[in-house]
Amino acid sequence: MGVILGKSLNLEDLDEPIQKPYRKLQVDDLPIIDVPETLDYRKLLADYEAQHRRPLRPIQRRAKAKHRVPDSLTCPRCQAPSSYLYANNGGKGQYQCKVCQCRFNHRNRFTKQAVFRCPHCKKTLEKIKERKEYNIYKCKNNACPFYRANLRRMTKKERQRFKQDPQAFKVRYWFREFLFDFLPLASSSPIKPKVDLSRLAVSPHILGLVLTYHVNFGMSSRMTAAAMKDIHGVSISHQTVLNYANSAALWIKPFVDRFPYELSGSFCGDETYIRVKGRWHYMFFLFDAVKKIVLSYRVSPNRDTLSAIKAINDVLRKRPSIPDDLSFVVDGNPIYLLAQHFFAHHGISFDIRQVIGLAHEDPVSEEFRPLKPIIERFNRTFKGNCRPTHGFGAEEGSVSFVTLFVAYFNFLRPHSALEGRVPVVIPELAELPHMPARWTKFIAMAQAFLQQEAA
């Protein structure tokens, strides 16, 4: 199965953003990640006593020993106390555990939770830079095949420049370890809405009409308020329309995100633009190309690695299990390769294949490029609904509108590609006569879902 992610840009309007090229960044293959084995010294002591028929005694220290082991020090591998630890190299900081034979240094015993090795020469990578969001590791083995092959590919002119300015070339293997405070596959808790929809002064039908005009037909809040006045004789302000939309979105979002979708094996995605507070933000969409189900809808001010990680995580959480052949097909943006490294560090593996350019220059492009029109068609549908809003004054408003659009797209909007059916068929919604009634019923189902989870 595959997932396509890309970027799209509509230049029909003069106020559209100027396309910015990706930052030139070469991402190497995944490293070999060795997670140190953790042991229990109590079990090891019991096994020793059962095997040797005598207990393993603590270390007998000399009264005038020059190099003492701190009482608070424990073995990082088996948690053995200081009474089982040797000062192993004459007071220079290295210790050895008598229980599990682990050697460690007191300065880095808590940082070596995982060891990264070069996939080409199997040597341990060395940390060379520390940034706010990631650490950079580098293979400094001069006999590394990756390093030697890059040197051989250089021309005579490049070799001369390399001797004068080696920093201008990337010839060694690099790896970025991201330090995001983010747990893959973890769900977020719902937010309590500002407006209690169960205590509205208007009837549920009015709420359904407001959402139908604002979301289904893509009318702005002012146009929605005007339609309610001119067509139905209901006087509400445009701010009331926004309040209703924000509150409904907060009720609906957990239901949309955690619904047990039946997915196919063909996923596609896109990056597009949305204006928030007068600035362009990025929309990360991932959806099922066959079932027409939106799986991820992330609004982010940046087109960065963390946004790609969260978008992919939304897709993974909606699957009961992660298949071995799961793959994401992306364009040339390196953030998805970096996201793959992040998930691999947390024990979640999938493939990343890049489709670059417009021509079928490689088998990957030829196989997956037919999904591009599906991506662009979905993108036009979203922009058609979003354009009349003329942007959002707050990030909360943009997230609310996108959430309502996804709920409409997944559960309420008929699709010609599905023979006029909605992507997710719920019998209780299909039996209702019109769209306002379906909106109010859908909100009631979302509220019942939250109450059931709370119980």
Side-chain angles (χ1 to χ4, degrees), residues 37-54:
E37 182 184 11
T38 57
L39 304 173
D40 187 349
Y41 78 96
R42 292 179 290 266
K43 185 177 183 303
L44 295 178
L45 292 177
D47 293 342
Y48 182 91
E49 185 173 359
Q51 181 180 358
H52 297 85
R53 298 182 180 178
R54 58 182 177 84

Side-chain angles (χ1 to χ4, degrees), residues 11 35 39 46 61 86 92-93 109 153-154 171 196 205 222 241 288 296 302 315 322-323 402 412 414 418 425 453:
L11 297 179
V35 179
L39 304 173
R61 307 190 190 280
Y86 295 102
K92 296 182 180 179
R109 68 185 188 279
R153 294 192 190 99
M154 289 184 179
V171 293
D196 189 351
H205 182 68
R222 296 182 185 276
V241 172
D288 190 313
S296 179
N302 303 306
V315 178
I322 301 176
V402 174
L412 303 175
L418 301 177
V425 179
E453 279 201 337

Side-chain angles (χ1 to χ4, degrees), residues 23 73 83 138 160 190 217 247 269 318-319 325 406 411 422:
R23 185 179 64 173
L73 190 65
S83 57
K138 182 178 181 179
Q160 292 177 351
F217 300 138
S247 299
K318 291 177 176 62
R319 298 195 59 88
D325 60 345
V406 171
F411 297 92
V422 297

Side-chain angles (χ1 to χ4, degrees), residues 433-446:
H434 48 70
M435 191 60 66
R438 294 171 190 167
W439 269 115
T440 55
K441 179 62 176 178
F442 187 76
I443 293 173
M445 295 176 63

Side-chain angles (χ1 to χ4, degrees), residues 23 25 50 98-99 111 115 157 183 195 201 203 206-207 210 217 266 284 308 311-312 338-339 363 385 429 452:
R23 185 179 64 173
L25 173 66
K98 185 178 180 181
V99 181
T111 59
V115 177
K157 184 177 180 180
L183 181 62
V195 177
S203 66
I206 298 299
L207 175 61
V210 169
F217 300 138
S266 181
F284 287 77
I312 294 176
L338 297 175
N385 283 52
L429 298 177
Q452 184 179 0

Side-chain angles (χ1 to χ4, degrees), residues 59 84 119 130 153 173 182 230 284 293 295 302 338 415:
I59 298 171
Y84 288 96
E130 293 185 359
R153 294 192 190 99
Y173 175 85
F182 173 75
D230 298 340
F284 287 77
I293 300 173
L295 303 175
N302 303 306
L338 297 175
H415 289 258

